[in-house]
Amino acid sequence: MWRRSFTSTTSALKEKKWDALVIGGGHNGLTAAAYLARAGLSVAVLERRHVIGGAAVTEELIPGFKFSRCSYLQSLLRPSLIKELELARHGLKLLKRNPSSFTPCLDGRYLLLGPDKQLNHSEISKFSERDADAFVREFVDLLLSPASKVLNKWFETDVLKATLATDAVIGTMSSVHTPGSGYVLLHHVMGETDGNPGIWSYVEGGMGSVSMAISSAAREAGAHIVTRAEVQLADGAQDLVPGNILPDDFILSIKHSDYSSGTTKINLAVDKLPQFQCCKLSHPDPGPQHVGTIHIGSESMEEIHSACQEAVNGLPSRRPIIEMTIPSVLDKTISPPGNHVINLFIQYTPYKPSDGSWMDPAYRDSFANRCFSLIDEYAPGFSSSIIGYDMLTPPDLEREIGLTGGNIFHGAMGLDSLFLMRPVKGWSNYRTPLQGLYMCGSGTHPGGGVMGAPGRNAAGIVLQDLKKSLN
């Protein structure tokens, strides 16, 4: 984000001098724009792509099917932001998921979890009475420890530990045994929907509806939003700042930030719901197993660790860890009647595989089919239901969406890059060494996820600095 009065080179804006230019129309950029415009500043948002939203975007890539291409669930969006920007009035509608989690097992059992304490106790009791009694816990242990250490201390059931552990490694190249992986789990369990803690929801119309609601609030306040507007320096360089402007230690810290990612996202259009063998049902209607996040291939923490180690060694996981969601079960606006949209959030896929290239269509198809075959083991016939799909590997996420390294958090959420260390030590307050240039993305505190807090906080700092400069 850049605060300085200068003439924009974009043809539609070139005659006007703006108090603030927001570079990038992701949900945090739009949030910053909304708050700055509400404070009376003239604001323009410049987005490189044809559509706003960044990673919180809805795109209709197969006619009739609307995909949340990157982020796919909502819970972290700050309640204060929803209230202050009146996002419900601007069209935001949250669809609560209950139950919120389903883990099928190849031995014919399954685990359902959700906000209902009685359901959780009953479901966990199928595996262990002790674990059912221990399920409600304080989370402070998670802050510094490996997720596996904490979960092993609390529980004895492999499938329960693995289901919870997936939130500790999501979007990272970390194992469940990595110190600090517990914090990522904590980051994900701290969300809420409509005041209900720990509840993740779908958004009607897909995740792009979050960005559209925020952009509507920004426009109402007077912000001007432009798409297909790539920003570059006057000399044609793609960097936002000439290399000789920033201090060496700052450049070095940024250069050595961890942007590694093991994430691939596959969005599918299907002609029927997956029928999970363990449910022993033959009817095609949606059931509780289809409502929440479906954990495929996560029956033990060791399976997750093995999948991670393969990727660390340069190979896409032989049996990937898959989080499947089917938003069309609750959201009737995103697929034709009888058909469904399915999101697969997949780990682990190295940025540069040692046994092939993500640029090779045959290599891409091979990995996608590996994922579909794994799902077939739990839901026979799944592969035959696929109408078409869209696949984003780490390099695709970087090229198309602008996520460096394909990292969904805009930088690792390790203990060395959180709080006062995010994005780098000494620069956690959204300012940069260049006066008038601010950061407002997920690479700043408090981090990744669709929460809007970095954008709201950064706008507050800009307004604070502006007030000082006028006094």
Side-chain angles (χ1 to χ4, degrees):
M1 182 168 55
W2 184 282
R3 182 190 64 75
R4 181 166 291 182
S5 293
F6 64 88
T7 305
S8 169
T9 56
T10 307
S11 57
L13 311 172
K14 65 181 179 181
E15 298 305 318
K16 184 173 172 81
K17 289 188 176 181
W18 301 88
D19 296 322
L21 283 182
V22 179
I23 300 169
H27 84 280
N28 274 308
L30 294 168
T31 298
Y35 279 97
L36 293 173
R38 282 159 57 96
L41 274 63
S42 61
V43 182
V45 180
L46 306 176
E47 167 56 43
R48 174 182 60 90
R49 296 193 73 217
H50 65 286
V51 60
I52 58 169
V57 67
T58 303
E59 295 187 64
E60 189 172 338
L61 302 179
I62 297 173
F65 295 86
K66 296 174 182 174
F67 294 152
S68 294
R69 280 194 87 191
C70 299
S71 63
Y72 53 99
L73 288 173
Q74 194 294 123
S75 174
L76 299 174
L77 195 63
R78 305 322 303 146
S80 53
L81 188 156
I82 294 173
K83 185 179 177 184
E84 289 161 4
L85 299 185
E86 299 179 80
L87 296 188
R89 181 170 66 82
H90 288 285
L92 182 67
K93 187 175 181 184
L94 305 179
L95 306 172
K96 293 178 194 171
R97 310 182 316 153
N98 183 14
S100 55
S101 166
F102 170 67
T103 307
C105 302
L106 290 175
D107 66 6
R109 297 185 294 174
Y110 62 84
L111 175 67
L112 272 173
L113 296 173
D116 184 327
K117 291 180 182 176
Q118 284 185 314
L119 168 78
N120 293 342
H121 194 279
S122 162
E123 284 288 308
I124 298 169
S125 292
K126 295 189 304 190
F127 298 88
S128 163
E129 283 284 351
R130 174 181 171 270
D131 286 358
D133 293 336
F135 187 63
V136 182
R137 288 281 180 164
E138 293 296 323
F139 287 108
V140 70
D141 282 359
L142 289 170
L143 197 57
L144 301 173
S145 304
S148 59
K149 181 179 177 183
V150 179
L151 294 171
N152 280 328
K153 186 170 87 174
W154 288 353
F155 308 116
E156 61 187 6
T157 305
D158 283 341
V159 67
L160 175 62
K161 291 186 283 189
T163 298
L164 297 173
T166 56
D167 272 346
V169 298
I170 193 166
T172 73
M173 273 292 272
S174 301
S175 161
V176 290
H177 303 318
T178 303
S181 58
Y183 177 79
V184 182
L185 196 163
L186 183 62
H187 184 78
H188 284 91
V189 299
M190 72 182 182
E192 63 176 76
T193 295
D194 295 338
N196 300 305
I199 304 293
W200 287 73
S201 60
Y202 296 125
V203 180
E204 186 171 271
M207 289 299 289
S209 296
V210 174
S211 301
M212 294 307 291
I214 298 171
S215 71
S216 175
R219 284 191 172 105
E220 184 178 83
H224 195 77
I225 300 170
V226 184
T227 55
R228 292 189 170 93
E230 187 158 10
V231 175
Q232 57 188 37
L233 298 178
D235 63 3
Q238 293 296 307
D239 294 326
L240 293 181
V241 180
N244 58 352
I245 296 291
L246 299 171
D248 290 344
D249 60 340
F250 181 82
I251 292 174
L252 201 62
S253 295
I254 294 290
K255 190 177 177 183
H256 289 96
S257 295
D258 180 7
Y259 288 100
S260 58
S261 167
T263 298
T264 286
K265 178 83 187 299
I266 300 182
N267 305 295
L268 302 108
V270 298
D271 62 15
K272 63 175 186 269
L273 287 170
Q275 296 299 310
F276 294 100
Q277 211 161 235
C278 60
C279 294
K280 300 175 179 64
L281 299 172
S282 55
H283 63 77
D285 302 328
Q289 71 273 22
H290 296 117
V291 173
T293 298
I294 301 157
H295 299 273
I296 303 289
S298 308
E299 295 190 43
S300 74
M301 289 197 293
E302 282 316 304
E303 282 185 319
I304 300 173
H305 178 65
S306 297
C308 177
Q309 289 309 111
E310 287 165 352
V312 167
N313 292 328
L315 300 171
S317 303
R318 190 174 48 84
R319 291 179 66 82
I321 306 304
I322 300 174
E323 289 203 358
M324 172 195 283
T325 49
I326 316 175
S328 51
V329 167
L330 297 182
D331 183 357
K332 306 305 179 187
T333 70
I334 58 173
S335 63
N339 295 344
H340 287 276
V341 163
I342 292 183
N343 304 306
L344 301 181
F345 189 91
I346 301 159
Q347 293 179 241
Y348 294 83
T349 50
Y351 184 93
K352 287 184 180 174
S354 59
D355 64 341
S357 167
W358 295 123
M359 299 298 287
D360 176 3
Y363 187 82
R364 294 171 69 88
D365 287 345
S366 170
F367 180 74
N369 288 325
R370 182 186 307 177
C371 296
F372 304 153
S373 296
L374 180 58
I375 297 169
D376 282 334
E377 292 182 29
Y378 294 87
F382 172 77
S383 291
S384 64
S385 72
I386 298 170
I387 297 169
Y389 68 89
D390 161 54
M391 177 168 161
L392 293 168
T393 64
D396 300 326
L397 289 166
E398 181 175 72
R399 184 183 63 255
E400 289 204 40
I401 310 299
L403 301 176
T404 303
N407 189 291
I408 65 168
F409 299 122
H410 292 219
M413 297 280 288
L415 294 175
D416 58 346
S417 51
L418 291 171
F419 309 112
L420 294 175
M421 307 290 281
R422 191 167 187 89
V424 294
K425 186 179 178 183
W427 297 100
S428 62
N429 59 3
Y430 310 97
R431 300 180 181 95
T432 71
L434 185 59
Q435 188 178 355
L437 179 65
Y438 297 80
M439 295 175 285
C440 70
S442 292
T444 61
H445 176 76
V450 181
M451 62 169 65
R456 180 177 182 267
N457 294 350
I461 295 293
V462 171
L463 294 171
Q464 188 181 305
D465 288 355
L466 189 59
K467 189 176 178 182
K468 282 180 190 170
S469 70
L470 295 175
N471 289 339

